[in-house]
Amino acid sequence: KLAKPPPSTYRESVQVYEDAHIRAANLLTEDSELTKLYAELGIVLRRIAPFADDIPAETWVALSAHVYYDENQFFAVKASEADVIDGTNLPQCVMGSAGVLQTLLVTRTVPAIHNPLPTWKASRKTPRDPPNRNQEGGEGRDHTSRYDVASVPPEVATIMRPYWKTKRALAFGKICTDAGINFTSLPTAFTGKCYNKFLGQCSRRNCQHSHDFSDISSADITSFCTTIKPGIDKAVQGNAGGRR
């Protein structure tokens, strides 16, 4: 979170946003949209330094509100490993594109924020999964109901059942990593298809990949399953072993 109370002077703003830039670069890397936002903000602050004494406190407080909103909506996006690999559903920063920084640079003012963050309310309380009990001899929670089991081919169901049971969510990117493969290792017939849906769980609201697998041959399905099975096995074995 940013400073509380928000910075109300030029000097305070520079210190807060420089610290935020360093934190974002260390945690999210320089390629993150949030890191880029702080870098761009730093450039603007340096350029308006000669006019800093003439800028009222209200402007710096308004700027802080915009940054706070941008940071919150950035972290509100929950991108999966598959999203990162596919380059979809990634968090974005809107302050730059909304012209806030350009307005600050040119007029030394900041427009009021018209879309404040709503109060978050959960529709229901969802408890966290309990620790895996397999290593203690007990039974872990069965997550199979989270997957669309009926939609997958029988051959896929055969290799995925242990994974469905022990894993709350599908992490196809990690499956590939554990299998020592990448997407080019898979049959070309799956190009443009949703791997997550094929394995029983696609949580993307507007998935850009095809969910129609009717044109996939049985030979390609067998090849797909054979290729990813080492990653499935490793994921299941890791879950059963737990941490020592």
Side-chain angles (χ1 to χ4, degrees), residues 118-236:
T119 301
W120 182 85
K121 294 181 180 179
S123 57
R124 62 186 178 89
K125 293 184 177 180
T126 304
R128 293 184 178 181
D129 284 351
N132 185 279
R133 303 302 182 189
N134 290 337
Q135 68 188 65
E136 301 174 7
E139 294 182 355
R141 178 179 294 183
D142 189 336
H143 299 293
T144 304
S145 61
R146 292 180 172 275
Y147 295 84
D148 188 8
V149 177
S151 71
V152 305
E155 191 168 353
V156 173
T158 298
I159 67 169
M160 288 298 295
R161 280 193 187 97
Y163 189 98
W164 291 336
K165 183 175 181 179
T166 58
K167 298 295 183 180
R168 182 183 178 92
L170 182 66
F172 185 67
K174 189 173 189 307
I175 290 173
C176 291
T177 299
D178 288 344
I181 63 171
N182 53 44
F183 291 168
T184 62
S185 307
L186 302 171
T188 57
F190 284 88
T191 302
K193 305 291 186 181
C194 178
Y195 303 120
N196 286 32
K197 178 64 177 178
F198 187 69
L199 296 180
Q201 187 188 76
C202 177
S203 58
R204 299 171 189 147
R205 294 181 180 178
N206 299 300
C207 184
Q208 302 299 308
H209 298 89
S210 173
H211 286 196
D212 179 10
F213 306 101
S214 60
D215 57 338
I216 304 294
S217 69
S218 58
D220 284 327
I221 292 176
T222 298
S223 176
F224 185 96
C225 292
T226 301
T227 303
I228 69 169
K229 191 174 185 302
I232 298 292
D233 293 343
K234 187 173 181 179
V236 173

Side-chain angles (χ1 to χ4, degrees), residues 71-94:
E71 186 172 285
N72 273 272
Q73 65 87 31
F74 179 90
F75 285 112
V77 177
K78 305 302 181 185
S80 66
E81 291 183 57
D83 290 332
V84 175
I85 293 172
D86 296 341
T88 59
N89 191 40
L90 299 180
Q92 300 291 326
C93 290
V94 298

